[in-house]
Amino acid sequence: MKVVLGSCLAFTMLAGSWLQLNAQSDRWQQRVKYTMDVAMDAPANKFTGKQHLEYFNNSPDTLKKVFYHLYWNAFQPGSMMDVRSRELGKIVIGKDKNGNNRLDWDNRVRDRISKLKPDEIGYQKIISLKRDGKPQSFKVVETILEVPLDKPILPNSKAVFDMEFEAQVPVQIRRSGRHNAEGVDFSMAQWYPKMCEYDYEGWHATPYIAREFYGVWGDYDVKITIDKKYILGGTGYLQNPNLIGYGYETPGAKVTRPAGNTLTWHFIAPNVHDFMWAADPNYKHITQKVDGFTAHFLYLENENTRETWPRLAKMIPAAYDYIKAHYGAYPYQQYSFIQGGDGGMEYPMSTLILGNGKMDGLYGVAIHEWMHSWYQGMLATNESLYPWMDEGFTTFGQDNTIHNTVDSLKGQNPHEDSYAGYFALARSPFEEPATTHSDHYNTNYGYSLTAYSKGAVFLEQLGYVIGAANRDAGLLRYYNEWRFKHPNANDFIRVMEKESGIELDWYKQYFINSTKHIDYGIDSIYSNGNKTTVRLRRIGQFPMPIDFMVTDKKGNQVMHYIPLSIMYGEKPNEQPAVKRIVEPVWYWTNPTYEVEIDLPLSEIKELEIDPSQRLADVDRRNNKAVS
């Protein structure tokens, strides 16, 4: 974490105000300000907490109730997460290499919750809740706290909630918890009662079943009291580094810890929508200066990590150079890569990742989770409704970053795996529209390939539709116009339409709102003396513009570009060295289209639909004809 002395608190909060000011848009947003003080009983795996929450109702609506998330209540036998995992685990999604049934488990959860003992479960219990000093009634519906208010919160007004709560840290199963598989003591994600988001679509009191999160922008002031032996990392800026030490102290300063067996770690985090921390007495803490901020690395040192984690730290500046140029600048003063959790999970200013893997795997998961700082941390779409905009865009950015910073991967197709995943999904019976709520997919298989693979293909193929340069410029424009504003799918499409001058509502309708597939082929070839006519056929139900390359026997090439009628525009020529002929539009209602080539058939060497292979054509076998 960025070392920030207590005297710098005012400056840091001003930074938060600057971020908030620059986040204003025509779309109103709620705002929160948390002040929390928690006391951790590490041997008992429990803690107590006090939460002071200022809630700003910036909406035009009168709120008669509010909702909080109580995530850890999911880690109890019979919970919705438990039942859902066990039910999906009965579904056969294929065969393994030995011919055995592959079941649709989330392998991190499986049936583990059902086997938890009372001292292993997680819970968050509300001891008291007051609104503006008056006690409020409330009802717990597993992972949701429903609070009918004694008086409404009026539009453009503030309410203050004071809460006392206690919690038991669950055995680590999904994202958060204690004593994970790699030996980390505490991965403290989703650890506090968190106000649900209320936006232009209403309340998002989403039960914790499996997937993603959606939070209210705000400022956090958090104090964590814990045994002195623990080293912490996570979201925010440490305010008392010279009382803490452990590598956070000001260079050259003397660390003076208070008497007693505990330390109180004081963090602030401006303009974020969540707060995560992790703790272990054996964390190794190293730092790396990056352009404009400090990267922190906390890991358990062993023969493997002693080599890989310092290498990871040295790789981050080059990765950031690429990320900043293509996706925008990182606006906070610190980011923490922390060993913990159950694989990889992103949080504001921080991530939890497993750390004992090989170097390429560690770098891959670190860059993926860090890229979430853009599409989940700063742009922060509602992941439950638009997981493809978070996981898919993150996968796209991760793959580009890795393939442009690892020498052995340069020149290779960074999106080959995403296309392969999407094609597997399209061939399966498990594909559902990408508009499906992330918790309501019928299978984990369908969710994963839609959110990650199809979401990444959406962006790479968008470059095929509007031109990669327009797509890349649009991604920076999207970041600049929509960071800190919770954009939705239409907001993204409008940015790309403005950047390219091409209508794109059809692209979202077909690729996101439906499960129709792209399949084009060369139908027939006719010789007309000195000319050749080629009939192309749309076999699938998904219309697209077409790049059709003609190569003659001397090696000369001509690109016949066929715009789709409902684009109302055309992409720029992406290969200026290759002659391009812009053909009349192909009407989406027409199954066939004829291209006339100014060559006799005897002089044509090869005909190919989509030579760049960015078109997500589910059957490429009929895309090429060779003489």
Side-chain angles (χ1 to χ4, degrees), residues 302-545:
N302 56 42
E303 289 186 5
N304 182 49
T305 61
R306 188 177 294 115
E307 165 70 17
T308 56
W309 279 74
R311 283 183 61 192
L312 173 65
K314 296 300 182 184
M315 296 172 78
I316 291 302
Y320 180 61
D321 286 345
Y322 182 87
I323 294 170
K324 180 180 179 181
H326 291 83
Y327 310 114
Y330 181 73
Y332 301 106
Q333 299 173 34
Q334 78 90 14
Y335 188 85
S336 295
F337 296 89
I338 305 171
Q339 185 175 5
D342 62 358
M345 185 60 199
E346 70 280 357
Y347 298 95
M349 297 194 209
S350 56
T351 182
L352 293 171
I353 57 177
L354 292 181
N356 286 338
K358 295 179 180 179
M359 190 64 235
D360 57 347
L362 178 63
Y363 184 58
V365 71
I367 296 301
H368 179 87
E369 301 309 332
W370 192 24
M371 278 302 313
H372 274 297
S373 292
W374 279 257
Y375 296 111
Q376 192 263 355
M378 288 181 274
L379 287 155
T381 56
N382 183 343
E383 295 176 278
S384 293
L385 296 180
Y386 310 107
W388 58 275
M389 293 181 69
D390 173 46
E391 295 294 356
F393 288 18
T394 293
T395 298
F396 174 87
Q398 160 215 319
D399 289 340
N400 281 333
T401 301
I402 292 172
H403 279 73
N404 281 276
T405 55
V406 176
D407 288 341
S408 63
L409 297 177
K410 291 179 179 177
Q412 297 182 25
N413 179 3
H415 307 294
E416 183 177 355
D417 288 346
S418 291
Y419 275 80
Y422 168 65
F423 291 146
L425 175 69
R427 289 191 298 268
S428 80
F430 304 114
E431 185 178 13
E432 300 176 65
T435 52
T436 305
H437 187 287
S438 63
D439 280 330
H440 294 270
Y441 276 84
N442 292 328
T443 61
N444 290 309
Y445 179 88
Y447 163 77
S448 297
L449 289 177
T450 301
Y452 291 79
S453 298
K454 189 173 182 178
V457 170
F458 174 89
L459 273 188
E460 178 64 2
Q461 185 174 245
L462 180 62
Y464 170 86
V465 175
I466 66 175
N470 279 333
R471 189 261 329 273
D472 293 347
L475 285 172
L476 281 171
R477 183 172 180 170
Y478 177 53
Y479 165 85
N480 288 320
E481 291 186 9
W482 282 102
R483 64 177 182 161
F484 309 118
K485 300 177 187 177
H486 294 313
N488 60 39
N490 291 331
D491 299 322
F492 177 78
I493 289 294
R494 286 297 295 133
V495 167
M496 290 298 173
E497 288 182 331
K498 292 173 184 176
E499 188 64 40
S500 67
I502 291 173
E503 294 296 304
L504 293 169
D505 54 339
W506 61 273
Y507 182 59
K508 178 175 69 73
Q509 172 64 34
Y510 277 97
F511 204 58
I512 300 302
N513 297 8
S514 83
T515 57
K516 296 179 180 181
H517 299 141
I518 300 165
D519 185 8
Y520 279 85
I522 297 173
D523 180 84
S524 53
I525 304 170
Y526 305 95
S527 177
N528 299 320
N530 291 327
K531 295 186 178 183
T532 302
T533 300
V534 181
R535 175 178 290 171
L536 307 180
R537 181 173 294 276
R538 176 177 52 79
I539 302 164
Q541 296 177 309
F542 190 149
M544 286 288 283

